[in-house]
Amino acid sequence: MILEDFHVHSNFSDGADTPERMAEAALAQGMTRLGFSDHGYAPYDRDCCIPPERLSAYRPAIDALRARYCGRLEIFCGVEQDIFSDAPTDAYDYVIGSVHYLCMDGEYCCIDDTAEQIRDAAARHFGGDIYALTEAYYRTVAQVFACTHCDIIGHFDLVAKLNERCHLFDPAHPRYVAAYRAAADALLESGCPFEINTGAMARGYRSVPYPAPEIQRYLASRGASFVLSSDSHSAETLRYGFAKAEAEAAANGLHFVRFSPPHSGA
């Protein structure tokens, strides 16, 4: 049983609960390690990221919490960094590298908000070719390690978040498969672990984690390592679906590693 979670958001960014509330919920679950990874500042994503006026308070608040819970719960201060953000990350214990947007013709197009936004972006920037949009997404994902210097690769197939019933695209389409495999192959060279992320399951968007089982199997067959994350935005969803995800991951041949935040000194 995995009793740790390193993809967790608080009300410093777009989470619902305070860091204290998240830590208390972690203790109640018997968790041993908790990593906060609020969204780093991105001017094109102000609704979700830590606002500039609160950035200086984030690390001290988590450090104070770490001291308060010492001996009961290990706490780390990370950041989820979008690929297009240029905010510094050297102050954090670890970095989750993610892609939430495509930048097309100078416009930031969100790919995890509504299906209508994705269709509109495909129409305006790709001549209505949804597979061209997914190819652009995975070309961007392929660069996430190089751009963010991340320690965990976040929700690899986020572009499929709103495609549960395959009404946007067919995930078995040869162009889609070729696109995600090319991105996976590029990122595998980094040695960075991929997260198995249950966040969209908790919020009712998906019935399976990120990445989808067929992508999990592809990554596992090429020696990828994995960490299990809830991408929790509230205390109630910490470690959401972990038991099921662990069992399915084992069936897919996945290897979970014990993540060690590289800059924490722990």
Side-chain angles (χ1 to χ4, degrees):
M1 182 184 299
I2 293 177
L3 295 173
E4 55 190 37
D5 197 342
F6 285 90
H7 194 155
V8 171
H9 298 277
S10 75
N11 64 354
F12 266 96
S13 60
D14 60 345
D17 293 312
T18 64
E20 292 84 356
R21 174 76 182 92
M22 301 297 283
E24 284 298 320
L27 276 178
Q29 287 198 31
M31 288 175 60
T32 57
R33 300 198 298 163
L34 176 67
F36 289 93
S37 57
D38 280 297
H39 293 280
Y41 180 66
Y44 51 86
D45 193 22
R46 292 180 65 93
D47 289 342
C48 292
C49 68
I50 305 174
E53 63 271 17
R54 297 197 73 197
L55 273 172
S56 62
Y58 175 52
R59 176 85 206 210
I62 304 306
D63 284 348
L65 203 63
R66 186 203 315 260
R68 189 184 315 166
Y69 286 86
C70 182
R72 295 184 291 160
L73 176 68
E74 285 189 86
I75 293 176
F76 302 90
C77 184
V79 66
E80 183 176 10
Q81 186 83 343
D82 188 76
I83 192 170
F84 297 115
S85 172
D86 60 2
T89 60
D90 53 327
Y92 303 113
D93 296 334
Y94 64 98
V95 176
I96 298 174
S98 299
V99 176
H100 301 92
Y101 287 80
L102 293 179
C103 186
M104 304 304 303
D105 304 318
E107 177 189 355
Y108 291 99
C109 303
C110 185
I111 53 85
D112 75 330
D113 191 6
T114 69
E116 289 70 25
Q117 286 179 327
I118 293 177
R119 291 192 186 97
D120 181 62
R124 288 186 295 108
H125 298 289
F126 300 97
D129 184 348
I130 192 67
Y131 292 102
L133 182 148
T134 64
E135 288 165 344
Y137 168 79
Y138 281 114
R139 285 195 299 271
T140 305
V141 170
Q143 299 300 314
V144 74
F145 178 80
C147 292
T148 67
H149 307 291
C150 59
D151 305 296
I152 297 173
I153 296 164
H155 40 58
F156 177 80
D157 62 340
L158 185 68
V159 73
K161 170 183 174 180
L162 303 166
N163 195 49
E164 174 71 9
R165 295 176 179 82
C166 304
H167 63 289
L168 286 173
F169 57 84
D170 177 4
H173 192 285
R175 288 175 62 189
Y176 182 79
V177 173
Y180 80 64
R181 289 184 174 182
D185 291 345
L187 290 171
L188 282 163
E189 296 182 8
S190 72
C192 192
F194 293 74
E195 69 170 358
I196 303 299
N197 178 317
T198 63
M201 296 167 63
R203 293 186 283 279
Y205 291 108
R206 285 168 65 115
S207 57
V208 296
Y210 305 113
E214 59 271 18
I215 301 178
Q216 292 182 27
R217 289 190 289 269
Y218 182 81
L219 288 166
S221 72
R222 280 150 180 78
S225 58
F226 301 88
V227 296
L228 187 55
S229 305
S230 70
D231 199 348
S232 180
H233 285 66
S234 71
E236 288 71 26
T237 55
L238 278 173
R239 295 180 61 253
Y240 181 90
F242 269 27
K244 179 181 179 182
E246 286 184 69
E248 292 177 349
N252 286 327
L254 273 64
H255 171 63
F256 286 116
V257 297
R258 187 180 190 275
F259 178 63
S260 297
H263 308 299
S264 69

